[in-house]
Amino acid sequence: MRAIVIEEFGGPEVLTLAALPEPEPGPGELTVDVAWIGVNFVDTLARSAGYRVPGLPFRPGVEVSGTVRATGPGVTGFAPGQEVAAFVTDGGYSEVARVRASTAFVLPPGVDLRTGATLPIVLPTAWGLLHEVGRVREGDVVLIHSAAGGVGTVAGQLARSGGAAAVYGVVSDLDKSEHALKSGYDRVFTADTFDTDVKAATDGRGVDLALDPVSGETFHRTLAVLARFGRLVSYGNAGLDEWQISRNDCTPMGISVGGFSILALAADAPERLREIAGRAFHAFAEGVVELPVSAEFALEDAAEAHRLMESRTTTGKLLLRV
Ligand SMILES: NC(=O)c1ccc[n+]([C@@H]2O[C@H](COP(=O)([O-])OP(=O)(O)OC[C@H]3O[C@@H](n4cnc5c(N)ncnc54)[C@H](OP(=O)(O)O)[C@@H]3O)[C@@H](O)[C@H]2O)c1
């Protein structure tokens, strides 16, 4: 089968097309004839910085859609030919993927394979951030960074449907604001001035809930615009920087800081992930959220997809086509 392999970390050019043996499903696993592959920011971090990469050579790709090819020992509820979307832990950028049955999902009625590849990571992530960790409530004012990207597009809509009174987004360039304004956001600010803009928009009060996939300075500036009893959920380090706080950063205003990792959830608590994914997919099937695909590439052009994502000009979701 054809698959993308990384032999060394670096720019998009290190994504190389290789011919590999087709995988067989082990106990509790499925193999999937892949139709579409979701491109995630974490794939670019894995390629360039070795983020969550156990060693080289490495095969990137954490989500696919396709048809079940074979089921391994002990698998129930799946049969060859069924259309599924799934998390992948060992190389989704492939013609055939080996996935755990516990983190594969039969596509909801009316959802086609192309759309299905957009769902496994983004939908449960946005749901988990807002409803499980962030505990969004009726009337909350919500601030979401990377508002026009995959997670941001869905999070804006889920915040709105979760009862938020106002949803503010942050982007690096206002060219992306039109997309965000169609995705549940009331106003969109740029990263350089978001903190003063948020204070101005809320008459100095700040926000009840903020979602931060950037970390570093962005995290600290976001902490500073939380309202009393505000919650900040940190779920990424796109800025390749960390954060650190002390008790005194939280106690005076009664602030909570939380974290979230969909990949850790998939690895450690697949039954909890299924629950969250079930709710998120239901919202999608009901039309509560939309996730437009803004670009698609052939599998062999994965490097082009990474270049585009790293240009910070994309909105919505990027896909690879097998
Ligand atoms: N913890 C989890 O479970 C989890 C799950 C999924 C995704 N994530 C994180 O959520 C974020 C969105 O993921 P996605 O796959 O949907 O990607 P995406 O949002 O479609 O694209 C990447 C986003 O990162 C922002 N960005 C790129 N380079 C940056 C930099 N150097 N500093 C700050 N921001 C930068 C861009 O927004 P602007 O250019 O507008 O700033 C862009 O929206 C990523 O940071 C990802 O790692 C976390």
Side-chain angles (χ1 to χ4, degrees):
M1 67 166 184
R2 295 177 316 139
I4 298 287
V5 178
I6 295 172
E7 301 276 355
E8 57 178 329
F9 301 124
E13 69 283 354
V14 302
L15 297 166
T16 311
L17 192 66
L20 297 178
E22 283 157 7
E24 294 295 329
E29 294 178 340
L30 314 171
T31 48
V32 175
D33 284 318
V34 176
W36 297 91
I37 300 152
V39 178
N40 287 276
F41 191 69
V42 71
D43 303 340
T44 68
L45 289 182
R47 189 213 74 227
S48 62
Y51 180 69
R52 292 184 74 102
V53 174
L56 292 171
F58 174 72
R59 293 176 43 216
V62 291
E63 67 181 342
V64 299
S65 68
T67 51
V68 175
R69 177 186 178 90
T71 57
V75 170
T76 55
F78 291 96
Q82 240 173 354
E83 296 192 339
V84 293
F87 281 77
V88 188
T89 47
D90 68 343
Y93 289 16
S94 311
E95 284 179 326
V96 182
R98 195 165 58 102
V99 308
R100 289 190 302 155
S102 59
T103 51
F105 307 91
V106 175
L107 287 184
V111 175
D112 62 19
L113 284 169
R114 185 171 181 272
T115 307
T118 68
L119 305 182
I121 298 284
V122 167
L123 261 287
T125 295
W127 188 279
L129 290 170
L130 284 158
H131 290 286
E132 303 293 335
V133 188
R135 297 185 172 89
V136 66
R137 293 192 300 201
E138 199 73 31
D140 274 352
V141 178
V142 179
L143 176 70
I144 300 175
H145 288 279
S146 305
V151 174
T153 296
V154 169
Q157 297 167 76
L158 286 181
R160 166 78 54 216
S161 71
V167 186
Y168 300 133
V170 181
V171 293
S172 56
D173 192 309
L174 283 179
D175 279 354
K176 296 191 256 187
S177 61
E178 193 185 330
H179 172 88
L181 292 170
K182 285 189 215 146
S183 309
Y185 292 90
D186 295 290
R187 294 183 60 183
V188 182
F189 307 126
T190 51
D192 49 350
T193 56
F194 80 85
D195 36 8
T196 47
D197 295 334
V198 162
K199 282 284 190 183
T202 58
D203 291 329
R205 176 185 177 273
V207 302
D208 302 293
L209 172 61
L211 309 182
D212 170 33
V214 182
S215 286
E217 188 204 345
T218 300
F219 173 92
H220 290 285
R221 287 170 60 203
T222 305
L223 199 68
V225 297
L226 289 184
R228 189 164 299 281
F229 304 142
R231 292 96 66 204
L232 168 52
V233 188
S234 170
Y235 71 106
N237 62 339
L240 292 179
D241 224 348
E242 282 307 326
W243 52 263
Q244 214 167 15
I245 52 172
S246 68
R247 194 164 56 84
N248 277 343
D249 292 310
C250 296
T251 45
M253 291 283 284
I255 280 165
S256 312
V257 173
F260 183 81
S261 165
I262 196 79
L263 298 179
L265 192 65
D268 306 337
E271 66 299 335
R272 201 80 171 87
L273 171 64
R274 289 198 87 78
E275 234 177 85
I276 292 170
R279 290 190 202 115
F281 292 175
H282 180 72
F284 185 84
E286 293 283 296
V288 173
V289 279
E290 285 183 347
L291 179 50
V293 174
S294 62
E296 60 177 68
F297 299 84
L299 173 64
E300 57 271 28
D301 295 328
E304 288 308 311
H306 278 215
R307 275 190 197 100
L308 186 60
M309 181 165 264
E310 290 178 317
S311 73
R312 299 181 71 167
T313 59
T314 60
T315 57
K317 190 75 189 173
L318 307 187
L319 292 181
L320 301 179
R321 188 179 58 242
V322 175

